[in-house]
Amino acid sequence: MTPSAATPTHDDLEELLLSCRYGELDEVREFVDTFGKEHLSSVRDENGNTVLHMTCGNGHTALLEYLLPLVPPELLSVANNSRSTPLHWATTNKHMDVIQRLVRFPGGPGALLIDQKNQAGLTAVGEAELVEWNEGARWLVSQMDLDSGESADVKEEDAPAEDETELEMKVDPERTRDGQASNFGRE
């Protein structure tokens, strides 16, 4: 690691997150040139979002290409306060180039990233289905190792018993005006 010449202020870190949100590559480069790359992996907003959440959720492919070699691969799996990863955000907003780069990133979690569940119990595939993005759901499923019998979150003992096959869906009436349910779960 190269020692940074200065320590960023709270305002500098907020500006970094905003620059990632808005895809301002030059500003992010300037931040790294001034303060070093080590702050890229530690900065979070009040909801636990990282530079990758901001970048991926808004589909900034060029900025993602710049950031990926600078951050530790573990940052791809970091969840925010709602347990959503950057892949969840990219999927929710239908950014195919971004989800492909995240899953295919060398040294990253790869297909295991797809299995991470957020607070709502949804994987990236579930998020794609929720927003009716069939192309994204198909691509994500194509990347999964379905033959291995292994998954990051699903174990044989977690499988429902034969008498647990019926699910009751909880629906938040405020979110269903557009036909999307916001909360699924067992009763």
Side-chain angles (χ1 to χ4, degrees):
M1 280 189 205
T2 306
S4 56
T7 301
T9 65
H10 178 75
D11 287 345
D12 292 326
L13 296 172
E14 280 188 3
E15 284 299 316
L16 170 63
L17 287 170
L18 285 174
S19 294
C20 289
R21 178 180 178 188
Y22 295 115
E24 298 168 339
L25 180 56
D26 291 338
E27 285 80 355
V28 174
R29 280 188 178 138
E30 184 179 323
F31 178 93
V32 172
D33 290 345
T34 303
F35 301 111
K37 68 179 185 177
E38 43 284 336
H39 300 287
L40 295 174
S41 59
S42 61
V43 65
R44 306 281 187 282
D45 72 3
E46 65 278 359
N47 296 310
N49 297 309
T50 68
V51 295
L52 292 182
H53 283 91
M54 297 298 187
T55 302
C56 296
N58 291 290
H60 301 304
T61 308
L63 180 55
L64 181 61
E65 288 292 318
Y66 173 75
L67 289 171
L68 283 174
L70 299 178
V71 299
E74 300 81 39
L75 196 63
L76 281 73
S77 299
V78 170
N80 63 15
N81 295 352
S82 296
R83 293 184 24 213
S84 291
T85 65
L87 181 62
H88 283 97
W89 277 34
T91 302
T92 298
N93 293 298
K94 304 177 181 179
H95 298 303
M96 182 63 85
D97 287 345
V98 172
I99 69 169
Q100 290 174 338
R101 282 172 172 77
L102 290 172
V103 172
R104 292 176 175 163
F105 183 64
L112 291 177
L113 190 58
I114 300 168
D115 289 331
Q116 269 189 263
K117 292 182 180 179
N118 61 17
Q119 191 170 313
L122 297 174
T123 64
V125 175
E127 289 288 350
E129 291 171 344
L130 188 64
V131 298
E132 300 177 0
W133 188 35
N134 294 332
E135 178 187 12
R138 276 192 301 274
W139 186 85
L140 288 164
V141 169
S142 77
Q143 300 304 300
M144 297 171 72
D145 186 6
L146 301 175
D147 294 330
S148 74
E150 295 180 14
S151 174
D153 292 324
V154 180
K155 301 177 185 105
E156 191 172 320
E157 62 266 17
D158 292 336
E162 288 182 35
D163 62 341
E164 293 182 312
T165 55
E166 287 193 37
L167 295 177
E168 194 171 315
M169 184 173 19
K170 297 180 198 173
V171 179
D172 179 355
E174 292 298 316
R175 285 283 312 269
T176 59
R177 287 187 210 142
D178 61 358
Q180 293 182 356
S182 64
N183 190 10
F184 295 96
R186 293 183 194 271
E187 286 292 276

